[in-house]
Amino acid sequence: MSTSDQDQSVDTPIPAPDAGTAAEAEVEAEAEVEAEGRRLTPRQARRLRIALSSVGMVAMAVVLGLRIASRSSVLVVGVYGLALILCGIVIELSRNGRTRLGSWLLAVGLLAAIGSDWLLIP
C-alpha cells in the first residue's frame, strides 16, 4: 500500500458507475456485434468444427459397420478407418485453434473417403 492509500479512510464510499455510461457502453457493444455481421467468434468456430468432426466420425463408423456387414474387406476397413482417424485429427486441430486447417482437412478427407469408396471398393 502506498501512503496515499493509507491516508483514505476505510469508510469512504466507492462512487457508483454512471448509469448513462453503462447504457452507452452496452449500446456500443451491440453496435459492434451488428457491424461484424454474423461472424463466429473463435471459440464458437472451434466448437462448431468439433461438433462437425464428431458427427462425421459417427457417420463414418456407421457406414464402416454397414460396409463390413455387407462385404468384409481390408480395403473397406482401411478407407473408413483412415476417415475416422482424420476426424479425430480434425477434432484435435480444432481444440488447438487450427479451425481453417481443420475445415479444409475435414472436407477434403471426407470427400476422398467417399470417392475412394465409390471408385475402389466394388
Side-chain angles (χ1 to χ4, degrees):
M1 280 183 134
S2 66
T3 55
S4 62
D5 290 339
Q6 293 173 354
D7 291 340
Q8 291 181 345
S9 69
V10 177
D11 297 329
T12 305
I14 299 173
D18 186 22
T21 306
E24 289 171 6
E26 186 177 323
V27 170
E28 288 176 13
E30 288 176 9
E32 284 181 24
V33 170
E34 290 176 8
E36 289 179 6
R38 291 287 184 161
R39 297 196 70 178
L40 296 175
T41 64
R43 176 176 282 170
Q44 290 172 333
R46 283 192 299 268
R47 287 184 179 171
L48 177 65
R49 198 77 53 237
I50 289 170
L52 289 176
S53 297
S54 300
V55 168
M57 186 178 273
V58 169
M60 288 297 133
V62 168
V63 172
L64 175 63
L66 293 174
R67 294 289 287 181
I68 287 177
S70 67
R71 184 178 309 231
S72 182
S73 170
V74 174
L75 193 55
V76 170
V77 174
V79 167
Y80 288 105
L82 287 174
L84 286 169
I85 291 170
L86 175 75
C87 289
I89 289 171
V90 170
I91 289 171
E92 280 302 309
L93 284 172
S94 296
R95 287 182 59 209
N96 292 323
R98 301 307 227 168
T99 55
R100 284 188 213 137
L101 176 63
S103 298
W104 283 103
L105 206 63
L106 184 64
V108 170
L110 291 182
L111 286 175
I114 292 169
S116 63
D117 180 23
W118 183 65
L119 291 173
L120 299 175
I121 302 170

